[in-house]
Amino acid sequence: MAQVLWRLAMAAVLPVFAGMAQAAQITLSEGQDMGCQLRIDGEIVSGDAEALRAILEDMPWPDGTSPVGQRICLDSPGGSLIEVVRMADIVKTRFMGTAIAEGATCESTCALLFLSGRFSHPESDGAAIPDRVLHPRGTLGFHAPALVEEDRNYSRDEVNAAYARALGSMGEVLRVTSDIPESLFLTILNTPASDMSYVETVEQAARWQIEVAPVSLTASDIESSLRFACLNGDGGMLDQRASDSYLYGSANLPFTFGNLGPDRAQVTSRGGFRAEDSANCEMTLRADSDPLDRIGYLVMDGAGANEISRREVYPYMFHDPRLPLSALPVVRSPAETGEQIFFAAIQAAARAELSEVEIRSCWLLNPEARIVNVNEYVNLRGGPGFEAEVLRQVPLGERVRVIATQDLRTPEGGDRARSCMKACNNLALDNGDADLRAQVDRCIEGNVFWYEIRDGSGTAGYVSRKFLAD
């Protein structure tokens, strides 16, 4: 650590070397495809922070609901640490994201500026999330600041003074990188100035909360893609490598599906995460045809009270954690996002799970249920029975609330309804009676029983028991 602090101190007290270089070019972004307003090209030297501040004074504050279009593209070998810290403060105050475009390189202190990127939604009351985006064909490299020294012996007082300045410099670096994972901070400090640590794989980017875009979605193996997204997302929240999880090479992570549509889905794992594998990975996904933006978010339902449990989801996260970034499929146009095929694959997986669900009881056991045993949707009706008006088409897998779990309706009445209800009561007493089971199955299949529910939109109505599963 002392060696690192010494490097920081010398980099901080000798800015004159950087000052001899030509100032970086700070211009409006033109022709770059990373959602940038500005671009910074070249070595960062003394005076560049004021130049950035002056340009931003004439620009409106970011106020959109998406970080796309509110970023600064970086292409720089680095430069003055002091100046980079000043620029990072400006970027963080303005809630601007950062990006590295295709073919661009951001190394050394430029990487610290890159890490300052963040986005604040207009309705978030000032709360911000990281927004730092790397093109799969861009280069992002970290190392500790360089040691610049004269070839002579140093006195004890000089060393102590340098060490004190190093602590001050260290505090500045910690401040501007306060929201990065610990493993990334340690990587920066432990990489000598003569070397460079690059972001090279999907799991590195996900773990260090560096988004990679524009990348197309993958649907060749939708179950694996969903598992990878959960692993990469959780790795970023826990600061762990996704491939270290026992789930990485396992297909034993079933999913349930809800809120399905050609451009949306809710996907939930059945446990598998966090302490005692008790947390569920719940992803809320929606297509927006913007390859530079998020496709949704995931929540670890059941995580500990003090654990981070929410993470934005980008398309690159659905790829194998060990895949090199250079191998990711780059999106060249909105038509190449793969969203249509991706959501179609989710719908196919949902139909395989939900279209032939065996209903084992007349009564629902929980106040929450899912729509099952249909290809696409079931009609929500204004009353029990197929003669009632249709209020809405409720899609396969949508979660609904059961208004009264014990309130089974039998709209047709008569002997059949009474016989079916008696069979239900008797089966509850003797679940092993095969004849009773067969009779109850025929009653449910024949739509004798109906439940009053409230669907995902809040509309109250009736659905046959046949189409509801716990």
Side-chain angles (χ1 to χ4, degrees):
M1 178 65 76
Q3 185 181 12
V4 170
L5 293 173
W6 174 248
R7 292 185 188 130
L8 286 168
M10 297 310 296
V13 301
L14 294 175
V16 64
F17 289 95
M20 294 178 180
Q22 185 176 357
Q25 291 184 318
I26 306 174
T27 58
L28 294 176
S29 179
E30 296 181 2
Q32 294 206 46
D33 299 323
M34 297 298 288
C36 295
Q37 279 183 308
L38 296 176
R39 55 182 297 170
I40 298 176
D41 299 275
E43 186 172 353
I44 297 170
V45 300
S46 179
D48 283 343
E50 283 306 313
L52 175 62
R53 191 190 308 276
I55 290 177
L56 290 175
E57 283 179 353
D58 296 328
M59 298 177 63
W61 276 70
D63 61 357
T65 58
S66 167
V68 179
Q70 304 184 63
R71 296 174 179 145
I72 300 177
C73 277
L74 304 173
D75 190 0
S76 169
S80 167
L81 174 62
I82 292 177
E83 206 67 14
V84 163
V85 168
R86 291 170 179 165
M87 296 174 82
D89 281 335
I90 295 171
V91 171
K92 294 179 73 171
T93 300
R94 294 277 301 204
F95 295 109
M96 297 188 74
T98 52
I100 301 171
E102 182 175 15
T105 296
C106 180
E107 295 177 335
S108 187
T109 55
C110 175
L112 300 180
L113 179 57
F114 173 80
L115 292 176
S116 68
R118 60 181 183 163
F119 169 70
S120 178
H121 193 281
E123 298 177 0
S124 66
D125 294 326
I129 60 173
D131 182 52
R132 38 222 188 200
V133 186
L134 171 65
H135 193 284
R137 308 297 183 265
T139 301
L140 174 61
F142 300 97
H143 67 191
L147 171 62
V148 182
E149 60 176 321
E150 299 177 38
D151 186 14
R152 64 178 177 84
N153 293 324
Y154 288 85
S155 69
R156 181 184 298 274
D157 289 341
E158 288 176 315
V159 171
N160 287 337
Y163 187 78
R165 286 190 292 267
L167 290 177
S169 299
M170 190 68 173
E172 290 297 290
V173 173
L174 281 169
R175 183 173 58 78
V176 298
T177 60
S178 59
D179 62 345
I180 69 170
E182 180 181 353
S183 64
L184 175 55
F185 187 70
L186 293 176
T187 296
I188 294 172
L189 294 187
N190 291 326
T191 304
S194 58
D195 199 356
M196 194 74 69
S197 292
Y198 292 101
V199 182
E200 297 179 313
T201 64
V202 168
E203 69 179 346
Q204 278 182 317
R207 179 181 186 179
W208 292 341
Q209 299 180 20
I210 296 166
E211 314 304 354
V212 182
V215 174
S216 65
L217 291 158
T218 173
S220 58
D221 181 352
I222 194 63
E223 295 285 347
S224 292
S225 297
L226 298 174
R227 185 174 78 256
F228 289 155
C230 288
L231 289 171
N232 284 319
D234 202 36
M237 290 184 281
L238 298 180
D239 192 10
Q240 296 176 353
R241 292 193 307 182
S243 63
D244 285 344
S245 169
Y246 77 96
L247 290 171
Y248 169 68
S250 170
N252 188 26
L253 183 64
F255 289 91
T256 61
F257 304 89
N259 193 26
L260 296 166
D263 62 351
R264 66 184 185 276
Q266 190 165 31
V267 183
T268 305
S269 75
R270 299 174 187 169
F273 293 89
R274 303 290 175 97
E276 299 180 348
D277 302 335
S278 60
N280 297 325
C281 172
E282 184 174 292
M283 287 186 286
T284 300
L285 307 173
R286 190 171 189 91
D288 63 3
S289 299
D290 190 337
L292 293 173
D293 205 354
R294 302 149 292 174
I295 193 173
Y297 63 91
L298 68 80
V299 174
M300 285 297 164
D301 184 22
N306 296 323
E307 293 180 312
I308 300 173
S309 59
R310 191 181 191 278
R311 171 80 156 87
E312 306 301 310
V313 176
Y314 277 71
Y316 85 97
M317 294 166 63
F318 292 88
H319 292 266
D320 189 323
R322 293 181 178 176
L323 188 69
L325 299 184
S326 59
L328 287 170
V330 175
V331 175
R332 300 295 180 185
S333 70
E336 297 179 1
T337 60
E339 290 177 343
Q340 183 176 358
I341 298 174
F342 177 76
F343 283 100
I346 290 180
Q347 286 182 303
R351 281 192 292 271
E353 183 211 356
L354 300 174
S355 295
E356 297 182 5
V357 175
E358 183 178 8
I359 307 299
R360 302 291 297 175
S361 171
C362 298
W363 288 279
L364 288 163
L365 302 179
N366 300 303
E368 184 176 274
R370 289 184 300 157
I371 300 299
V372 298
N373 294 332
V374 293
N375 285 328
E376 295 183 10
Y377 62 85
V378 67
N379 288 321
L380 180 67
R381 297 185 178 273
F386 290 116
E387 301 303 320
E389 67 171 321
V390 176
L391 304 178
R392 180 175 176 261
Q393 294 175 342
V394 188
L396 174 70
E398 181 163 301
R399 295 179 180 178
V400 300
R401 298 292 297 180
V402 182
I403 293 177
T405 57
Q406 298 300 311
D407 188 14
L408 273 178
R409 302 292 183 91
T410 54
E412 63 183 59
D415 291 341
R416 186 186 182 201
R418 286 191 290 273
S419 175
C420 284
M421 187 60 72
K422 181 179 179 181
C424 288
N425 291 327
N426 290 337
L427 184 64
L429 299 175
D430 185 5
N431 194 49
D433 191 316
D435 291 336
L436 281 175
R437 164 62 59 194
Q439 183 180 355
V440 167
D441 287 346
R442 288 194 295 270
C443 293
I444 293 174
E445 186 66 25
N447 302 295
V448 172
F449 305 119
W450 290 68
Y451 265 113
E452 185 178 9
I453 66 157
R454 193 175 299 278
D455 70 4
S457 70
T459 305
Y462 290 82
V463 171
S464 170
R465 175 68 178 95
K466 174 184 177 180
F467 306 119
L468 296 169
D470 287 304

